[in-house]
């Protein structure tokens, strides 16, 4: 180890020689020592024995720059081809516009430290995602894509346009059963649950058109296969009739549907699905006559009066002579009374073959 002041002072021969040797030792040993040389010059070397570092003076001759570690291969530096780093590599924090780590020919793509315990990925000079103690955050509604095995298509997940608040969805701990769906408990915890049937099998609906939609059958009493429509058969069974291999649908053509009494007592004594004929409730009709009259017309008539010629004080008209009797008509007279038949205008008639309210004809269908 040697250091020198880089000066050869005027002196006697032995002192000049010692001074020369000391300067050569300092030069050949890179000014090694436990402290920096007191006399420096730009680009001079300094082997710092305190930390085994090789340093070089900067161009301004204002400070030493550490080049590497003397005790390590290649001074602890990576060679240009296939470097293998050991120890810790540190880089400055940088900013989005001044990346400390970027790529040749693409200097606006790389990484920088955004804050403590956080670094950000930048592409095209824009922050895309960052990693911190909370996890991975993808910015600006960019998608997280999962490619298929051929890398030709992907499935992506991304945030909505505007979220009202931070939302964290926690996946369930198992994959559930076939046909299950994911549901939330309102706090972001997801679980699998059986898919509720939107339209229950066996439910009956009215159609405003006469085309039967997919997944339905017309309620026309037809016999259908117990195997083909097993789910429907499990619901209605033999309620409307069946054979060994078929069962009948309800026949609602031209029918009004009435709610099943189910022990209420309004329509008691009926089985579920049974048909019921038409019936009139016993009742009376009240007729009110505001009043009318009958007129009598007599065109004129005669009254015959019996008589005899015996004057016996009986009050009968007598004629002269004896042995005569008979009848004499009175004079023609009218009473001015007439009787005419008048109608009340009230009639009761039985019309039609059924009693019904106003209605519109539609088609009943049943869900299979």
């Amino acid at each position: 180890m040697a250091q020198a002041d880089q000066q050869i002072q005027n002196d006697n021969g032995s002192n000049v020689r010692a001074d020369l040797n000391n300067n050569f030792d300092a030069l050949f040993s890179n000014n090694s020592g436990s402290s920096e040389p007191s006399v420096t010059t730009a680009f001079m070397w300094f082997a710092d024995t305190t930390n085994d570092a090789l340093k070089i003076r900067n161009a301004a001759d204002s400070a030493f720059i550490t080049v590497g570690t003397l005790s390590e291969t290649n001074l602890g530096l990576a060679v240009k081809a296939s470097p293998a780093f050991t120890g810790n590599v540190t880089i400055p924090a940088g900013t989005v516009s001044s990346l400390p780590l970027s790529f040749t020919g693409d200097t606006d793509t790389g990484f920088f430290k955004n804050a403590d315990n956080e670094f950000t990925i930048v592409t095209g000079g824009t922050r895309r995602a960052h990693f911190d103690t909370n996890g991975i955050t993808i910015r600006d509604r960019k998608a997280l894509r999962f490619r298929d095995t051929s890398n030709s298509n992907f499935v992506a997940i991304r945030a909505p346009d505007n979220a009202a608040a931070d939302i964290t969805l926690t996946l369930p701990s198992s994959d559930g059963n076939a046909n299950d769906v994911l549901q939330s408990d309102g706090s972001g915890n997801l679980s699998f649950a059986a898919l509720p049937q939107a339209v229950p099998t066996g439910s009956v609906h009215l159609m405003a058109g006469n085309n039967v939609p997919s997944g339905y059958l017309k309620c026309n009493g037809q016999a259908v296969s117990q195997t083909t429509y097993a789910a429907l058969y499990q619901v209605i069974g033999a309620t409307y009739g069946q054979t060994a291999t078929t069962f009948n649908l309800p026949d609602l053509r031209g029918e009004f549907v009435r709610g099943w009494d189910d022990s209420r007592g309004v329509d008691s004594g009926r089985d579920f699905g049974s048909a019921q004929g038409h019936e009139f409730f016993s009742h009376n009709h009240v007729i009110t006559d505001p009043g009318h009259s009958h007129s009598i017309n007599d065109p004129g008539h005669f009254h015959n009066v019996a008589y005899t010629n015996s004057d016996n004080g009986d009050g009968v008209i007598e004629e002269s002579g004896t042995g005569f009797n008979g009848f004499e008509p009175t004079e023609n007279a009218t009473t001015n009374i007439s009787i005419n038949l008048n109608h009340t205008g009230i009639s009761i008639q039985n019309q039609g073959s059924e009693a019904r309210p106003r209605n519109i004809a539609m088609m009943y269908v049943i869900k299979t």
Side-chain angles (χ1 to χ4, degrees):
M1 295 187 295
Q3 291 183 349
D5 60 5
Q6 304 178 24
Q7 298 290 326
I8 306 297
Q9 303 295 329
N10 291 325
D11 208 334
N12 57 34
S14 59
N15 289 338
V16 170
R17 181 180 180 182
D19 200 7
L20 286 171
N21 288 334
N22 189 52
N23 274 276
F24 280 127
D25 287 342
L27 178 63
F28 296 147
S29 65
N30 290 320
N31 298 292
S32 59
S34 59
S35 61
E36 294 180 355
S38 57
V39 179
T40 61
T41 185
F43 307 115
M44 71 178 293
W45 290 101
F46 166 50
D48 190 345
T49 58
T50 301
N51 53 21
D52 200 26
L54 178 62
K55 301 178 180 180
I56 190 170
R57 196 71 174 176
N58 62 16
D61 191 18
S62 59
F64 280 99
I65 300 171
T66 300
V67 176
T69 303
L70 290 167
S71 59
E72 295 185 9
T73 304
N74 298 321
L75 300 177
L77 305 176
V79 295
K80 187 173 182 180
S82 301
F85 291 97
T86 59
N88 298 321
V89 177
T90 60
I91 58 176
T95 64
V96 67
S97 59
S98 179
L99 300 175
L101 181 60
S102 61
F103 302 92
T104 302
D106 190 11
T107 56
D108 60 357
T109 296
F111 307 86
F112 78 97
K113 178 184 175 183
N114 188 58
D116 288 344
N117 302 313
E118 178 181 341
F119 75 91
T120 299
I121 299 174
V122 176
T123 61
T126 301
R127 298 174 62 187
R128 303 301 184 187
H130 64 264
F131 296 75
D132 58 19
T133 55
N134 294 316
I136 303 173
T137 301
I138 300 176
R139 302 172 59 88
D140 302 324
R141 201 170 170 260
K142 298 300 180 183
L144 178 62
R145 297 180 178 182
F146 300 89
R147 286 282 182 181
D148 59 17
T149 54
S150 64
N151 291 312
S152 57
N153 297 295
F154 62 81
V155 176
I157 301 174
R158 67 178 182 181
D161 286 328
N162 293 290
D166 291 338
I167 301 171
T168 299
L169 299 177
T170 303
L171 295 176
S173 58
S174 65
D175 62 354
N177 301 312
N179 299 319
D180 279 0
V181 294
L182 276 176
Q183 65 178 9
S184 172
D185 64 354
S187 298
N189 298 308
L190 303 180
S191 61
F192 284 104
L195 177 66
Q197 193 173 17
V199 180
T201 296
S203 59
V204 174
H205 304 270
L206 274 172
M207 297 299 299
N210 58 5
N211 293 320
V212 180
S214 175
Y216 292 81
L217 292 172
K218 187 185 297 185
C219 292
N220 60 2
Q222 65 177 312
V224 296
S225 168
Q226 296 179 10
T227 303
T228 304
Y229 300 102
L232 180 58
Y233 178 62
Q234 187 176 7
V235 173
I236 68 175
T239 303
Y240 307 98
Q242 71 171 10
T243 66
T245 59
T246 65
F247 68 101
N248 288 11
L249 304 178
D251 193 350
L252 300 180
R253 295 172 298 175
E255 300 285 1
F256 292 102
V257 177
R258 182 176 188 175
W260 179 38
D261 184 273
D262 194 18
S263 301
R264 182 184 178 189
V266 175
D267 186 29
S268 59
R270 293 188 58 191
D271 294 330
F272 182 84
S274 62
Q276 188 178 59
H278 62 80
E279 183 178 66
F280 289 101
F281 188 80
S282 178
H283 63 282
N284 297 317
H285 293 278
V286 177
I287 301 174
T288 301
D289 184 356
H292 62 282
S293 61
H294 297 277
S295 61
I296 301 174
N297 295 316
D298 184 1
H301 61 279
F302 296 91
H303 293 278
N304 292 323
V305 181
Y307 68 89
T308 179
N309 61 353
S310 59
D311 188 6
N312 55 10
D314 57 5
V316 177
I317 299 173
E318 296 178 353
E319 293 181 352
S320 61
T322 61
F324 294 97
N325 59 57
F327 296 93
E328 286 291 337
T330 63
E331 292 183 357
N332 185 22
T334 61
T335 63
N336 294 322
I337 298 173
S338 64
I339 300 176
N340 295 325
L341 179 61
N342 289 333
H343 296 280
T344 64
I346 300 174
S347 64
I348 300 176
Q349 298 179 356
N350 183 22
Q351 294 182 342
S353 59
E354 62 181 0
R356 60 175 178 261
R358 292 181 58 182
N359 62 84
I360 297 175
M362 292 187 179
M363 179 176 65
Y364 281 108
V365 295
I366 188 169
K367 182 71 174 72
T368 60

